[in-house]
Structure formats: structure tokens, C-alpha cells
Amino acid sequence: ALKDNTIVIFTSDHGWGNGEKDYLYKNSLWQESTRVPLLIRAPGVSRSGASSDLPVSLVDLYPTLLDLCGLPSDTVKNDKGRPLDGHSLKPLLADPATGAWDGPDAALTALYKWAKTYDPAKQSYALRHKDWRYIRYENGKEELYHTERDPYEWTNLAGSPEYTGRLEAFRKQLDQRIATAKPAPVATSAKTDGEKWKDQFFEWHPQADTNKDGVLSWAEYKVHKAKVDARKAKKQKEGDKSQ
């Protein structure tokens, strides 16, 4: 029967901040925006009704499926490839309470800060341990929550002297998990941001080149941009009327 040989995984998106900490929307490093549900049924491996309180990540799902299905874990195809991120959750499915796995003790969440070049050291991160959450923002500010006692993360302990040792340990742990920055690409042209945007617009709207000379002038850009904006406004207005 299918129920005896089918692995079922249920997960979902994260939640939203609804005013807690005077914050709305998502894209935060607190529990509301970083935690997602995860249920796995693996016939012959997982235990019915059992659960693990060890934080794991969705990046662990693919290695888990490879392990459960007995498929090769070496997915590197050539010298440009790299090993899989994530770790198999099979040991935790077989023994949720005391199962030993080779994954980290904390789940890592990264909040990307837009920039022309990506520098891992200049992003915001959260480490979620079983009983703790450590947050470090790209501006250097930190938050520390004892989630066992403070599950809603109201009391930031980062400024308390008694937690200095734990804070330093979490800093070191986070630094070890952040990738090394690659050198910024060398600029090949002196184009301004506006000119780069115009070039991108030209790729999206080649018909804007009305004289067909292969170059989008600023005059052509402005004329066609106005037409695009007008169409969008009309479509939005029609949508509002239909609601």
C-alpha cells in the first residue's frame, strides 16, 4: 500500500509580525518570521506522534530524502560543484528524543541587505538554539533571548553582564558559519545607476527603441516609460473597479 512506502513531508511559510515589538509585516529575525511547521512521516523510520525539540532547517530536507531513499549523497557533478548544504534528519526521525545527528546545534537564518555586491559579513543573522536565540544585525547591534523562559522573546539579555560569556560563544559560533566574502567584481564601465537601469529597461522593452538604431536614448526611454506606466495605472484602475 502507498501508506507503507510513501514519505510525506508537510511544511509551510513562516508567520507575520502583527504588532509585536511595534513591528508589522515579515522579514524579521524573531520567532514569528523564522519558525515554520515541519512534519515528516517516513514509514519504518519515524515514530508516530513523536517530536524533536532540536531546531533544524528546511535545507536539511533534501539530504534527508536522499538518506531515507538510499540514494547517493555525493551530488557534485564536476569541479565547479560543491557539497550539499544541510544534514540528514533520519537519526532524529528514528529517535527524536536522543537521536544523534551530524548537523549543527542551532538553525541559522540570514536576512539579506540589498547591495551591489554581496558580503556575508555585512548581513543580519539569527542563531536559534533549543533554548536560546542570538541575533546580530549588520550594524553590529545584538539581541539575546532565553527562549525556554521567554518564548515570545520580549526580554533582550544582550546587555546583561551575566550573559557576556554566552554572548561571546554565540558570536564565535556565528562567525564560524558565515561564508568568506569574495572580492568585489571590478567595474567594467563607468555607467551611472541611472544608465544601468535604462539598459535593463531596454532589455525588457526592446520596442522602446523607436528609431531602431540599437541604442535607447533618454528621450525614447521617457516616452516609452510613460506608456508603460499609463498601462499599469489603467490595469490597476480596472482591477479596483472589478473588486
Side-chain angles (χ1 to χ4, degrees):
L2 288 176
K3 71 180 182 63
D4 297 324
N5 62 6
T6 302
I7 299 167
V8 178
I9 296 177
F10 173 85
T11 187
S12 179
D13 199 359
H14 56 74
W16 289 49
N18 288 311
E20 305 90 340
K21 302 186 177 78
D22 295 328
Y23 186 82
L24 290 170
Y25 197 52
K26 50 184 179 178
N27 292 342
S28 79
L29 291 171
W30 300 311
Q31 183 83 340
E32 290 82 5
S33 283
T34 59
R35 183 180 183 274
V36 299
L38 177 61
L39 291 87
I40 302 177
R41 180 184 182 275
V45 179
S46 60
R47 298 187 180 184
S48 178
S51 63
S52 172
D53 55 9
L54 183 68
V56 298
S57 302
L58 294 182
V59 73
D60 299 316
L61 290 182
Y62 187 50
T64 300
L65 289 172
L66 292 179
D67 195 7
L68 290 173
C69 297
L71 297 173
S73 60
D74 184 7
T75 59
V76 177
K77 299 301 182 183
N78 53 51
D79 57 2
K80 294 183 179 180
R82 53 160 293 166
L84 279 176
D85 289 322
H87 303 265
S88 173
L89 300 172
K90 185 177 179 180
L92 300 180
L93 295 174
D95 188 356
T98 60
W101 77 318
D102 58 0
D105 294 332
L108 176 67
T109 300
L111 192 59
Y112 174 67
K113 179 183 179 182
W114 187 91
K116 292 182 179 179
T117 58
Y118 173 68
D119 184 349
K122 295 181 179 179
Q123 311 304 316
S124 298
Y125 297 96
L127 279 178
R128 179 61 159 93
H129 291 73
K130 176 182 176 182
D131 297 326
W132 294 88
R133 179 184 297 280
Y134 168 66
I135 297 174
R136 186 174 73 197
Y137 297 99
E138 54 87 19
N139 61 6
K141 292 185 178 181
E142 296 173 303
E143 296 177 14
L144 178 66
Y145 301 100
H146 192 179
T147 54
E148 182 182 27
R149 301 176 183 174
D150 180 21
Y152 296 105
E153 302 171 350
W154 289 116
T155 306
N156 181 11
L157 304 173
S160 302
E162 60 186 294
Y163 297 103
T164 299
R166 185 177 294 276
L167 206 57
E168 290 178 352
F170 286 162
R171 288 170 185 157
K172 183 177 180 180
Q173 188 178 123
L174 178 58
D175 288 337
Q176 290 173 343
R177 294 184 64 176
I178 295 176
T180 303
K182 295 181 179 179
V186 178
T188 57
S189 68
K191 287 187 176 181
T192 65
D193 288 344
E195 290 171 327
K196 293 177 182 178
W197 166 246
K198 181 164 65 69
D199 290 345
Q200 182 67 70
F201 184 86
F202 191 15
E203 291 183 15
W204 294 337
H205 305 280
Q207 66 274 28
D209 179 21
T210 54
N211 62 6
K212 308 300 181 183
D213 64 351
V215 177
L216 183 65
S217 67
W218 278 110
E220 291 172 324
Y221 165 79
K222 291 178 180 179
V223 170
H224 197 79
K225 180 69 164 53
K227 293 179 181 179
V228 171
D229 291 343
R231 285 198 296 267
K232 288 182 179 179
K234 182 180 179 182
K235 187 176 181 180
Q236 180 64 48
K237 187 176 180 180
E238 292 174 347
D240 292 342
K241 289 181 178 179
S242 64
Q243 294 179 359

